[in-house]
Amino acid sequence: MIKLGVIGTSWITKMFIEAAQKTTAYELSKIYSRTIERGENFLSTLSTNDVSIVTTLSDLYTNIDAVYIASPNALHFEQAKAAIEAGINVIVEKPAFSNPTEFAIIEELLASHPDVRFFEAARHVHQSNFKIIEQTMGELTQLQGATFVYQKYSSRYDAYLAGDEPNVLTREFSGGALYDLGVYPLYAAISLFGTPRAVQYLPTLLRNGADGKGTANLFFDDYNVTLLFGKSANSYLPSEIYGLKETIVISNIAELEEVKYYDGEGNADTISEKVADNPMIKEAQDFADIINDPVAQHEHYNQWFQLAKQVNQTLFDLRQSAGIVFPADELQN
Ligand SMILES: NC(=O)c1ccc[n+]([C@@H]2O[C@H](COP(=O)([O-])OP(=O)(O)OC[C@H]3O[C@@H](n4cnc5c(N)ncnc54)[C@H](OP(=O)(O)O)[C@@H]3O)[C@@H](O)[C@H]2O)c1
């Protein structure tokens, strides 16, 4: 069993713990919170008892095998770095890091800790419906690009409108639409199409300089991929991948509930499988398989690591194209 520690006491940590428990490969061992009280409140929402609440990283990184990090984005880097230095496997929520400088430091650190594995928790690319999309793309006659959409009004936007500065909508915490919901369509695009030769991001900025929504263009030699995402409005548009005459239509690029294939005559066929109630089970299982047998799973590991690196670089390039600077960038320059 992989002894698991977690950072973060919000709903996403609960969902990952439940997914990890469903795989039966993990055993929740420690919860890190800034206060014992919040840690205990969080523990009381779980169906597990034998767990320690800790308030320091050094206590967290003692006697565990892996940590799941779901803190605000800007904190991931220091928390992941400390874990690797302690020899602990790292599963970090998307987006793993604020910029390529941080990613390069982590990559170098991993090279000197060869037994430690590092994963970015991009749950959708592990789902079986994502694999179905990948396979079906291979059948399209001539790729013509794609439009991926993930725009959902955030409950935290209410707080922003009321004058607050929720972490996820601030540059201080490496937040904003691109570094939150934008990660899902971008991950899908890079995973399916590879690295674009150029990128451009047109954001709608909030009063604090972070992006509330936006449109990103990824330029490839023969086509473009357009991404629409945001946290300040709801969109009900599906996502699409284009062949010459055929089209793959995806109900939602992050949730992947329904995928349809339209042939050149416009006939539709549903090709998706029913999605699991908890969308994090597949990634939790994939990470456990690699931790438990790193040699056999080396190719998978390397593929996901390289994908995470490309996504990190492209997120940064998009952000630069829009002139959005994070404090995390300035600290390292
Ligand atoms: N994969 C997915 O579907 C999914 C969904 C949602 C979020 N996420 C990712 O999960 C991560 C966390 O997102 P979130 O919305 O849960 O963030 P959040 O609510 O702002 O913070 C998560 C946790 O971090 C701690 N925290 C909050 N503010 C902090 C601060 N100023 N300093 C130190 N710790 C602080 C809190 O735990 P304590 O108070 O107990 O210390 C809190 O429970 C992000 O990277 C996000 O992108 C992923």
Side-chain angles (χ1 to χ4, degrees), residues 5 34 52 190 198 202-203 216-217 225-226 244 318:
R34 287 168 298 169
S52 322
I190 293 187
L202 299 171
N217 274 307
V225 173
T226 303
L244 260 191
L318 284 164

Side-chain angles (χ1 to χ4, degrees), residues 26 33 84 94 133 159 184 207 241 250 264 289 327:
Y26 302 83
S33 172
I84 297 166
K94 45 54 60 182
I133 294 169
Y184 294 92
R207 60 172 179 259
I241 299 172
I250 305 149
D289 289 347

Side-chain angles (χ1 to χ4, degrees), residues 186-226:
L186 183 64
Y187 237 99
I190 293 187
S191 180
L192 296 170
F193 292 91
T195 306
R197 65 173 167 73
V199 300
Q200 180 196 39
Y201 181 38
L202 299 171
T204 305
L205 295 179
L206 306 177
R207 60 172 179 259
N208 60 13
D211 51 327
K213 65 198 270 290
T215 307
N217 274 307
L218 313 182
F219 302 101
F220 295 84
D221 285 343
D222 299 324
Y223 46 76
N224 296 344
V225 173
T226 303

